[in-house]
Amino acid sequence: MPISVLLSERKYSFLCLASILLISFAFLLLTYTSYPFFFAFPLPSDIHVSVSSPPPPSRSSSLQFPTEPELETQPADHLDLNVSLNIRWRACRLGSVTVDYIPCLDNSKAIKQLKSKKHLEHRERHCPKPPPRCLVPLPKSYKVPVQWPQSRDMIWYSNVPHPKLVEYKKEQNWVRKSDDYFVFPGGGTQFKNGVTAYIDFITETVPAIKWGEHIRVVLDVGCGVASFGGYLLDRDVVTMSFAPKDEHEAQIQFALERGIPATLSVIGSKKLTFPDDAYDLIHCARCRVHWEEDGGKPLLELNRILRPGGFFVWSATPVYRNDERDRYVWKSMVALTQSICWKVVAKRDNFDSTEIGLVIYQKPSSYSCYAHDRTKRPPLCDRKTKKEISWYKPLRHCTSRLPVDSNGNLLGWPSPWPHRLRNKPQSLPAEPDAEAIFNEDTKHWAALVSDVYFDALAINWASIRNVMDMNAGYGGFAAALNELPLWVMNVVPIDAQDTLSIIFERGLIGIYHDWCESLSTYPRTYDLLHSSFLFKNRKERCNIIDVAVEMDRILRPGGYLLLQDTMETIQKLNPVLRSLQWSTSLYEGQFLVGKKGFWRPKN
């Protein structure tokens, strides 16, 4: 009998409908069994997916590696933390750079395609797209790092097995190899009598530089192994040490392994990832930056990030040598610093063999000098550039404007340390309730750290030295940790409220960053990553798996992720962390603690 006739007969309608439903159900069941969620979640091309169960103790969920996990949100008391995405991770294979892989700085394909390297473009960020999803292997015989304060003076050789700098700088006593350790004697190119004597020499030269009181936040340009910043910690000074990833092999990696604040960066063609008027003092000891090049743009960039009234300490050969090249550089430096109204407050160029030649400049705190003979000065920067976040922004040939409050009055110097940490920042927004919000934020973090982070969570704070706050806000988390022997890199995401100026005004340090990209730091950099509601603004641009891979890259084995977020975020992130063989625990349905182990995939 034709099907059309059967369908027209009411007595067969139920039988026909049941048959159709049975056939459809069988088809869906077969499709689901062979290709779970295939149509809902396209698979990334660089990840292999296994349909077998993951190794114990994790239990595999029905998800096989979606572009981003989409799980039905469950109450905290029903969340199974052992559920893991069944991902067959692969180890990175990049030749000699593999164990130190930095995706945005080791992108050889992009670097080869650069049209110019004149302005150090090859040392700047060139991030691969999409972000790599391989895992960086550990160096052979990697060990738990030496703890602070011993780590300032010695680290395991096996953790940073790069002896090149020992040979290259052997006459200058930067670093020595001793048995299984690298040892840091506190020497340097300009530190003839050691770094402590050098620090004292600076304050003897300019007594107004009161370390740890008037001067709290310092930038060390071309820092070597960061001994200058390491020893300033004894004076209550926090120093951001930076240098590029270049032929001075692993200098920033040495600094971070020692437990000294540091980041990879270069003054090339782009602005540094710091806000205007951030640093109380900037230091350069033979840092090999040609300040006068490209119309003086490198020095104009220093002027942008130096606080009005702040100091620039330049300890370099053009100050005291008289060969033709050095005389040319010194003459250019004189003209350039005068054009931006920097005042020479001290110069040491006649000295015996025990002293150092240097010049110390001070940035003006008013426009009185700028008003004279403007034709010989770089123009003042456009007002709108004062509000832009310095992220992939080109260097400009202009003089940064001085900071003002909501009424247009020039801002003064912050309160002496440690009062500036708690006092109302002058750079707060003009909204009527801004001060109340700031004070509540400070109280909130002090209570949360004391009552929950210290007392309720399974974190060994005694093992933690390098900390990163991935979504820092006003820096309240870092302020609450101030009494502990650790330091915090405060990150202000580029799509969040710009609070980085406030963080620096409080006497803390930080950077801008886009968490849809890799960080400019070496692998195994931090002991603890803190994330407070980081993911809520990134669902449209970032994949949570890529952020998890980056957290795994920069966290040391044995280190912690401390995350406060919604259950939706926790339920998406936890299976990814479990697939990386992290252990996880949940507290009060909003605090996820992850601990990274020593596991690495074997290809």
Side-chain angles (χ1 to χ4, degrees):
M1 183 179 293
I3 292 177
S4 59
V5 176
L6 284 174
L7 291 176
S8 66
E9 297 284 339
R10 293 185 61 184
K11 62 182 179 180
Y12 295 109
S13 59
F14 177 80
L15 179 61
C16 181
L17 179 61
S19 300
I20 293 172
L21 289 174
L22 183 61
I23 293 170
S24 300
F25 179 77
F27 175 79
L28 289 173
L29 183 63
L30 289 171
T31 304
Y32 172 79
T33 303
S34 301
Y35 306 101
F37 289 90
F38 180 82
F39 296 104
F41 305 112
L43 298 176
S45 60
D46 60 342
I47 294 295
H48 300 286
V49 180
S50 171
V51 295
S52 61
S53 298
S58 301
R59 294 194 300 275
S60 177
S61 72
S62 59
L63 292 171
Q64 295 298 307
F65 195 45
T67 301
E68 180 153 326
E70 292 188 6
L71 303 175
E72 182 181 352
T73 303
Q74 300 177 13
D77 56 355
H78 291 101
L79 181 63
D80 186 352
L81 291 177
N82 289 324
V83 171
S84 168
L85 289 182
N86 190 12
I87 307 169
R88 186 184 298 164
W89 292 106
R90 63 183 178 88
C92 299
R93 290 181 174 178
L94 300 150
S96 60
V97 303
T98 297
V99 296
D100 298 327
Y101 179 45
I102 305 171
C104 293
L105 298 181
D106 292 325
N107 189 350
S108 57
K109 181 179 179 181
I111 292 172
K112 289 177 181 177
Q113 294 174 350
L114 290 174
K115 296 180 179 179
S116 172
K117 297 181 180 180
K118 181 179 180 182
H119 301 300
L120 302 178
E121 290 89 346
H122 58 301
R123 306 292 189 198
E124 295 180 323
R125 292 171 58 83
H126 304 282
C127 296
K129 297 185 185 302
R133 285 186 175 175
C134 61
L135 303 184
V136 177
L138 298 178
K140 186 179 179 181
S141 303
Y142 180 85
K143 301 178 178 65
V144 173
V146 177
Q147 290 195 3
W148 184 267
Q150 288 77 19
S151 64
R152 186 182 70 175
D153 301 321
M154 58 191 302
I155 63 174
W156 292 111
Y157 171 81
S158 59
N159 287 11
V160 193
H162 298 297
K164 182 177 178 180
L165 202 61
V166 175
E167 179 64 25
Y168 189 71
K169 295 291 184 180
K170 63 182 179 181
E171 302 299 328
Q172 298 167 9
N173 219 21
W174 282 24
V175 55
R176 298 197 307 263
K177 187 177 183 301
S178 177
D179 297 326
D180 294 333
Y181 297 94
F182 279 124
V183 178
F184 302 89
T189 308
Q190 298 291 89
F191 309 154
K192 295 182 178 180
N193 299 309
V195 66
T196 300
Y198 177 79
I199 290 169
D200 290 336
F201 175 68
I202 291 174
T203 50
E204 290 167 5
T205 304
V206 179
I209 298 176
K210 298 177 181 178
W211 300 120
E213 182 183 347
H214 185 66
I215 301 299
R216 162 64 183 174
V217 187
V218 169
L219 179 70
D220 189 13
V221 181
C223 61
V225 294
S227 291
F228 181 70
Y231 281 82
L232 276 175
L233 289 165
D234 294 339
R235 317 289 179 102
D236 263 346
V237 173
V238 59
T239 304
M240 179 80 81
S241 298
F242 88 84
K245 187 179 184 183
D246 61 6
E247 65 273 9
H248 281 179
E249 190 176 63
Q251 53 188 334
I252 292 299
Q253 194 173 19
F254 279 132
L256 292 164
E257 185 73 13
R258 296 173 72 186
I260 299 172
T263 188
L264 283 160
S265 192
V266 64
I267 303 178
S269 66
K270 303 288 193 303
K271 287 184 177 182
L272 299 170
T273 57
F274 310 125
D276 293 3
D277 318 303
Y279 290 98
D280 304 338
L281 182 145
I282 299 176
H283 172 257
C284 160
R286 298 281 292 275
C287 58
R288 301 198 305 166
V289 177
H290 301 296
W291 303 110
E292 76 286 356
E293 288 192 353
D294 199 17
K297 284 183 180 180
L299 194 72
L300 289 169
E301 175 64 359
L302 281 201
N303 182 71
R304 180 185 71 83
I305 63 176
L306 181 61
R307 189 178 301 282
F311 299 95
F312 175 49
V313 179
W314 191 37
S315 173
T317 53
V319 178
Y320 55 88
R321 288 188 180 173
N322 292 313
D323 62 76
E324 184 177 350
R325 169 61 184 168
D326 288 329
R327 283 199 303 269
Y328 169 78
V329 172
W330 174 246
K331 183 178 179 180
S332 300
M333 192 68 167
V334 168
L336 183 56
T337 53
Q338 288 179 350
S339 74
I340 58 175
C341 295
W342 280 15
K343 178 184 177 182
V344 176
V345 294
K347 186 172 186 286
R348 292 284 190 97
D349 55 1
N350 295 312
F351 51 87
D352 59 34
S353 60
T354 63
E355 293 181 328
I356 299 296
L358 56 73
V359 60
I360 301 178
Y361 299 96
Q362 187 172 27
K363 178 179 174 178
S365 54
S366 74
Y367 284 114
S368 58
C369 171
Y370 293 131
H372 301 288
D373 201 4
R374 287 192 174 185
T375 59
K376 295 184 179 180
R377 309 191 188 285
L380 290 175
C381 296
D382 192 292
R383 294 182 188 277
K384 65 182 180 182
T385 64
K386 198 74 176 173
K387 299 179 181 180
E388 71 179 14
I389 291 178
S390 54
W391 182 249
Y392 291 120
K393 298 295 183 181
L395 294 183
R396 299 181 184 277
H397 188 265
C398 61
T399 304
S400 177
R401 293 178 180 270
L402 301 179
V404 296
D405 61 18
S406 57
N407 296 317
N409 301 313
L410 293 175
L411 299 185
W413 197 267
S415 305
W417 178 263
H419 303 292
R420 67 193 279 181
L421 184 65
R422 310 290 177 187
N423 289 358
K424 173 190 174 182
Q426 301 174 76
S427 52
L428 273 179
E431 285 77 5
D433 57 350
E435 183 176 2
I437 293 173
F438 171 79
N439 290 334
E440 285 301 314
D441 183 80
T442 301
K443 293 177 183 177
H444 162 77
W445 283 110
L448 185 62
V449 168
S450 176
D451 298 341
V452 178
Y453 288 7
F454 286 169
D455 292 341
L457 304 182
I459 294 177
N460 178 14
W461 289 92
S463 68
I464 292 170
R465 173 63 188 168
N466 300 353
V467 178
M468 173 169 283
D469 192 351
M470 300 173 70
N471 189 25
Y474 291 132
F477 171 68
L481 296 176
N482 182 59
E483 298 300 321
L484 294 186
L486 52 78
W487 64 275
V488 180
M489 179 73 84
N490 294 280
V491 178
V492 173
I494 62 166
D495 51 1
Q497 180 185 356
D498 185 4
T499 54
L500 199 50
S501 292
I502 294 172
I503 288 171
F504 274 93
E505 191 176 342
R506 298 187 75 178
L508 307 170
I509 58 172
I511 54 174
Y512 295 113
H513 184 59
D514 182 356
W515 283 112
C516 293
E517 298 181 358
S518 180
L519 198 74
S520 292
T521 193
Y522 284 92
R524 306 169 300 280
T525 293
Y526 287 92
D527 301 305
L528 185 141
L529 304 177
H530 178 252
S531 169
S532 179
F533 299 102
L534 170 71
F535 292 93
K536 63 181 179 180
N537 295 328
R538 278 152 205 91
K539 295 179 181 178
E540 299 301 322
R541 298 193 305 113
C542 298
N543 190 308
I544 202 168
I545 297 171
D546 295 324
V547 180
V549 170
E550 178 62 4
M551 291 190 296
D552 183 83
R553 188 184 72 87
I554 67 178
L555 193 64
R556 288 170 168 173
Y560 299 90
L561 167 67
L562 171 49
L563 177 135
Q564 180 187 21
D565 220 303
T566 63
M567 278 303 302
E568 179 187 5
T569 295
I570 290 172
Q571 195 170 352
K572 288 182 177 180
L573 181 61
N574 184 74
V576 184
L577 299 180
R578 297 293 296 183
S579 75
L580 294 165
Q581 306 299 309
W582 289 28
S583 62
T584 58
S585 60
L586 185 64
Y587 178 75
E588 290 189 348
Q590 61 175 320
F591 300 101
L592 181 71
V593 176
K595 186 173 183 181
K596 176 182 173 181
F598 281 73
W599 174 83
R600 296 284 87 180
K602 295 181 180 179
N603 289 349

